[in-house]
């Protein structure tokens, strides 16, 4: 039996599935990954733009970067991997999708039980009153202000050096510890604490599988490593279910 068929069998039996996704799942939609050959980090000094210090020093430069990303992400569509996870969710009694992506493509595809642990680029947060709002404008301007209190708005995303929302992280850890199967899709799995979720699942006895273009530092600990494009492999996992 092929690895895909074996993993499919484990999924069909599973009561509870957790999925962790990273930038690789959106690559085929046209969203640049961070660390790859065409990665965002080759074009931008992300660590100098996506930080609270950068925003304090030059908010207009930070908004210029996020407006560029909004414009880019606003023009792309979900791909077969996002769509296949929506279908998988319908077939599994307890399903949790944890994403490190801020692009909102899982929501757009229709995933329901979704934890966006790094935030969402389409949300803004007031640095004054803390109000969080959805704003789908492709261009927020260079110094958007809060409609409630006039404070400076910032993207509602987790920046380098910032802590994750502890409630969301706890939900993600609980889902990882309680699943029968965990899929880790399109992430280099180097950024903590997301990178440790697969170990939480494995330690609790789950079958853990990775889908990536290449092997990662976690491959040796995986029960399955499926090498290839997420848009080709993930749909295969839901083909021909009874
Ligand atoms: P990376 O850019 O680090 O990794 C993307 C992974 O996707 C790599 O392992 C690629 O091999 C793989 N990949 C690329 N195209 C693929 C495809 N079509 N199918 C399957 N796999 C593919 O992105 P992340 O792991 O998501 O955090 O990065 C994690 C975090 O680092 C991001 O959320 C961001 C960044 O710092 C914050 O901004 C807080």
């Amino acid at each position: 039996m092929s690895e895909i068929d074996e993993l499919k069998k484990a999924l069909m039996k599973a009561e509870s599935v957790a999925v962790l996704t990273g930038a690789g799942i959106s690559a085929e939609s046209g969203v640049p990954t961070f660390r790859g050959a065409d990665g965002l980090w080759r074009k931008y000094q992300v660590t100098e733009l996506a930080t609270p210090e950068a925003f304090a020093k030059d908010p207009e430069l930070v908004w210029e970067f996020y407006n560029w990303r909004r414009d880019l992400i606003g023009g792309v569509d979900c791909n077969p991997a996002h769509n296949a996870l929506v279908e998988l969710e319908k077939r599994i009694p307890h399903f949790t999708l944890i994403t490190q992506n801020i692009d909102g493509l899982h929501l757009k595809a229709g995933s329901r039980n979704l934890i966006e642990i790094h935030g969402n680029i389409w949300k803004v947060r007031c640095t004054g009153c803390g109000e969080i709002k959805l704003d789908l404008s492709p261009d927020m301007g260079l110094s958007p202000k809060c409609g409630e209190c006039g404070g400076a708005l910032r993207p509602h995303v987790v920046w380098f050096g910032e802590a994750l929302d502890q409630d969301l992280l706890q939900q993600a850890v609980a889902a990882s510890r309680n699943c029968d199967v965990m899929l880790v899709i399109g992430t280099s799995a180097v950024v903590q604490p997301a990178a440790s979720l697969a170990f939480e699942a494995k330690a609790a006895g789950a079958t853990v599988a990775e889908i990536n273009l290449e092997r990662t530092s976690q491959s040796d600990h995986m029960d399955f490593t499926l090498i290839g494009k997420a848009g080709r492999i993930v749909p295969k996992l839901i083909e021909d279910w009874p």
Side-chain angles (χ1 to χ4, degrees):
M1 200 188 278
S2 73
E3 277 211 303
I4 288 189
D5 286 337
E6 273 188 60
L7 177 56
K8 200 157 115 181
K9 207 168 127 195
L11 285 169
M12 281 178 178
K13 282 197 304 196
E15 278 291 308
S16 174
V17 169
V19 180
L20 172 68
T21 64
I25 196 165
S26 295
E28 289 159 75
S29 291
V31 183
T33 61
F34 291 91
R35 300 175 178 78
D38 296 324
L40 212 47
W41 288 3
R42 305 285 159 118
K43 293 198 186 81
Y44 285 91
Q45 297 288 350
V46 179
T47 45
E48 285 167 28
L49 288 166
T51 65
E53 292 77 20
F55 191 70
K57 189 173 140 212
D58 194 347
E60 297 197 354
L61 184 68
V62 174
W63 267 114
E64 194 180 307
F65 174 59
Y66 279 91
N67 284 332
W68 173 78
R69 290 180 75 188
R70 278 177 166 248
D71 190 45
L72 188 153
I73 293 167
V76 309
D77 265 322
C78 315
N79 68 54
H82 297 107
N83 295 334
L85 291 180
V86 177
E87 292 307 313
L88 186 61
E89 181 167 16
K90 291 179 189 160
R91 291 161 170 79
I92 305 286
H94 303 285
F95 181 93
T96 308
L97 174 52
I98 305 153
T99 189
Q100 299 167 87
N101 300 342
I102 62 168
D103 56 33
L105 289 178
H106 287 303
L107 271 180
K108 193 171 176 182
S111 284
R112 300 175 78 92
N113 195 23
L114 174 67
I115 305 174
E116 292 178 312
I117 45 172
H118 289 166
N120 184 309
I121 195 167
W122 302 112
K123 290 182 183 164
V124 290
R125 183 166 87 237
C126 177
T127 54
C129 66
E131 172 96 351
I132 296 166
K133 278 205 171 135
L134 196 65
D135 192 322
L136 302 178
S137 321
D139 185 347
M140 295 291 298
L142 294 180
S143 53
K145 297 283 186 287
C146 173
E148 307 296 321
C149 76
L153 293 177
R154 59 162 280 179
H156 184 49
V157 299
V158 177
W159 280 332
F160 291 98
E162 292 186 320
L164 270 63
D165 179 302
Q166 288 305 298
D167 281 348
L168 295 185
L169 181 59
Q170 273 174 18
Q171 288 171 34
V173 170
S176 307
R177 285 185 183 153
N178 291 322
C179 68
D180 303 311
V181 179
M182 182 164 204
L183 305 179
V184 179
I185 307 172
T187 176
S188 55
V190 292
V191 174
Q192 292 296 352
S196 63
L197 295 174
F199 293 105
E200 295 281 353
K202 179 99 179 144
T207 298
V208 184
E210 171 182 60
I211 297 160
N212 200 300
L213 279 186
E214 58 193 23
R215 288 180 68 80
T216 71
S217 60
Q218 297 195 335
S219 301
D220 287 346
H221 307 280
M222 294 282 162
D223 297 298
F224 299 98
T225 294
L226 305 178
I227 299 292
K229 289 187 172 180
R232 184 183 67 80
I233 295 175
V234 186
K236 280 190 188 298
L237 296 173
I238 52 144
E239 260 173 24
D240 307 323
W241 279 48

